Amino acid sequence: MLTKKQLELLTFIHDRVRETGIAPSFDEMKDALGLRSKSGIHRLINALVERGFLKRMPHRARALEVVRLPESLSPSSLGVRSNGAADRSHGDSGRVIRPNFGSHPKPVDTIPSVAIPVMGRIAAGTPIEALQEQMHEISVPESMLSRGEHYALEVKGDSMINAGILDGDTVIIQEADSANTGEIVVALVDNQEATLKRLRRRGDSIALEAANPAYETRLYGADRVRIQGKLVGLIRRY
């Protein structure tokens, strides 16, 4: 049996990995469970790993694998609401509970999907040559997409690992020619090199910031950088 908080966390991680392909950050887990510090998340994860529900994947940022769920578990029995906020109406967090079993999740093959083009590889590291023509198409859940047109890119490099983006991942990009500071974008530098980085505006300059301390932030004049799209989703195959 799991405590209520262990069950909430396990379900939150499972749902997020199923939806986006990556585990949530510790801050996201903390907020979803209504905890005040990340130390509580560390303790819950350690307990779930020891009991065989979670597995840590070495040498990968934010890499947690859900090994198993309590038997017959369903989303309707869990204390995590659809907006990601934990339902704390069941009393003390240390109480051991048995989940109420309800209807099963919708089968994956009934989830609406959309085919979008894969436009080549994008560097999450040193910029590479500009994007190539369409290679093939990939089906993605309709719920992953925002308004407008979208395309997919295969990630090459490890400069965004601390943002949960790994070498070999496929990122889903919403076409856009502008972005807010702090957003992860596809940036075209000097009309020749494309890269996936976090955008920071610094006066009249644009900084393309890596999410890996091994890579330096690159600073460019605003006229040298064109935004090609914004990250809205990610797909990972194991």
Side-chain angles (χ1 to χ4, degrees), residues 46-80:
N46 288 338
L48 290 169
V49 170
E50 291 173 359
R51 296 180 185 186
F53 290 94
L54 284 181
K55 177 183 178 182
R56 290 189 177 92
M57 301 173 68
H59 312 303
R60 293 186 181 184
R62 288 171 54 178
L64 292 170
E65 178 182 358
V66 178
V67 179
R68 64 188 179 96
L69 294 171
E71 187 177 355
S72 302
L73 189 64
S74 72
S76 61
S77 68
L78 303 175
V80 178

Side-chain angles (χ1 to χ4, degrees), residues 138-207:
I138 187 172
S139 293
V140 302
E142 191 176 86
S143 60
M144 186 181 292
L145 305 181
S146 305
R147 295 181 179 180
E149 299 297 320
H150 296 76
Y151 58 91
L153 295 166
E154 297 174 358
V155 175
K156 180 179 176 61
D158 61 356
S159 77
M160 298 301 290
I161 58 173
N162 288 343
I165 303 171
L166 309 182
D167 184 42
D169 286 346
T170 299
V171 289
I172 310 303
I173 305 297
Q174 177 191 19
E175 289 188 12
D177 56 11
S178 64
N180 297 322
T181 190
E183 291 186 304
I184 296 176
V185 302
V186 174
L188 187 64
V189 180
D190 295 331
N191 290 320
Q192 294 182 342
E193 298 176 321
T195 188
L196 184 72
K197 290 290 184 294
R198 194 176 299 278
L199 175 74
R200 301 288 186 192
R201 298 189 183 278
R202 298 181 179 177
D204 294 331
S205 299
I206 290 179

Side-chain angles (χ1 to χ4, degrees), residues 11-85:
T11 307
F12 182 62
I13 295 171
H14 173 263
D15 289 347
R16 182 62 64 86
V17 171
R18 185 175 59 181
E19 292 171 3
T20 68
I22 60 174
S25 68
F26 275 67
D27 283 325
E28 290 170 329
M29 289 186 256
K30 174 177 66 69
D31 292 342
L33 269 67
L35 299 181
R36 293 184 177 182
S37 70
K38 289 185 281 188
S39 61
I41 296 297
H42 282 283
R43 288 193 294 270
L44 290 171
I45 288 177
N46 288 338
L48 290 169
V49 170
E50 291 173 359
R51 296 180 185 186
F53 290 94
L54 284 181
K55 177 183 178 182
R56 290 189 177 92
M57 301 173 68
H59 312 303
R60 293 186 181 184
R62 288 171 54 178
L64 292 170
E65 178 182 358
V66 178
V67 179
R68 64 188 179 96
L69 294 171
E71 187 177 355
S72 302
L73 189 64
S74 72
S76 61
S77 68
L78 303 175
V80 178
R81 295 175 181 156
S82 60
N83 65 359

